[in-house]
Amino acid sequence: MPNILILGGDGIGPEIMTEAKRVLSCFQNELSFTFIEKPIGGAAIDTHGSPFPKETEEAALQADAVLLGAVGGAKWDGLPLAERPEKGLLAIRKTLGLYANLRPLTIWPQLVGFSPLRPERLKDVSFVIVRELTGDVYFGEPRGFKEENGQRSAFNTMIYTEEEIRRIAKVAFDLARKRNKRVCSIDKSNVLESMRLWREIVENTHREYPDIALSHLYVDNASMQIIRQPSSFDVMLTPNMFGDILSDEAAVLSGSLGLLPSASLGGQSALYEPIHGSAPDIAGRGLANPIGMILSVAMMLDHSFHRPDLALKIQKAVSTVLDAGLRTADFWNEGTEKVSTSQMGSAIEKEITSDIVGVRK
Ligand code: NAD
């Protein structure tokens, strides 16, 4: 019986998680899973004094898959970096060995008019960002603040080992084999030693994948090409920090940051979360778009439970609801129907249920 760990987190996290659970419950007969809920992030700081309490860590290590909402908020912004809610996120990735973050970008045809790009620029756009998740400047040591001669300075270390680069490059090349066989690796090897090593190891690893076309872009150029020629990408391989930034930029092409799911893989279990943060500016008002969270459930059914058929039911239901013109506030425009977080979730649930009932009949 699959055991799913639910981590709502902060801000809009618990609101969108309610909708994810609602959707997941549609498949109780197919999968008979159990949920366990635990605190993470700011909520865990408030109740347990730590953003990643021991009981959450133990539950994560026992879970078959983890669903995460989002963490963070102004209430905890004054804490030292090592005690902030975001530390919980980094800690769970490290604990579970989740070094590969997959962020697929889908352009829903119903939303083309809502993207900031002209419709002709969005033709044939479909790519996946494969972001390295447990290395780079976010984890590199030494890091910290120091004071010399009355002047404060702060420093971080952008560091990658050969093995860290090789294993994420393999994820990108293997994924490209299932897609259009193109990998574009992003770096800044013209100025950074860690990125020189990145390019060298990506090229070495590529020798095992002669069927895949490999290209390279500096990150500044990549950020421009995402807007100029997004259809040129198939699999985009990135170090941790560049992937963090580029995936928010890419998300905007789809119409809203709230639409995009992600999967973090590499350990014995995987973690699924929308790519956005806790959106404190809209929390608690029923304004959050739950679709990125709900599509993260679809990624979980596909990758962790090997049920692409069920994942497809969720994607079809989302598409039908978009066809019907339902929109949360973040991607609403004239002529469409503005709905709340829970109305969006229940419309998607209704579509899935009628699909399942239709099949069972
Ligand atoms: P954010 O992603 O939370 O929000 C950016 C903008 O997008 C905001 O205007 C927000 O209202 C909007 N938005 C995001 N998700 C949305 C959704 N589902 N529906 C509708 N609108 C949505 O980024 P931020 O404002 O830079 O960060 C807020 C907090 O989240 C910070 O504490 C940050 O550290 C944290 N954060 C957490 C994660 C995570 O948990 N994985 C990721 C990024 C940021």
Side-chain angles (χ1 to χ4, degrees), residues 12 16 68-74 77 84 86 89 93 244 248 256-259 273-282 287-290 328 330:
I12 61 169
I16 56 175
L68 175 81
V71 300
D77 277 353
R84 283 174 55 125
E86 292 79 358
L89 205 58
R93 290 172 182 164
D244 191 0
D248 269 29
S256 172
L257 189 59
L259 292 166
E273 59 181 321
I275 77 156
H276 58 76
S278 58
D281 52 333
I282 57 166
L287 294 174
N289 184 343
T328 42
D330 52 305

Side-chain angles (χ1 to χ4, degrees), residues 51 80 137 181 222 265 354:
V137 70
K181 300 192 166 45
L265 316 171
S354 65

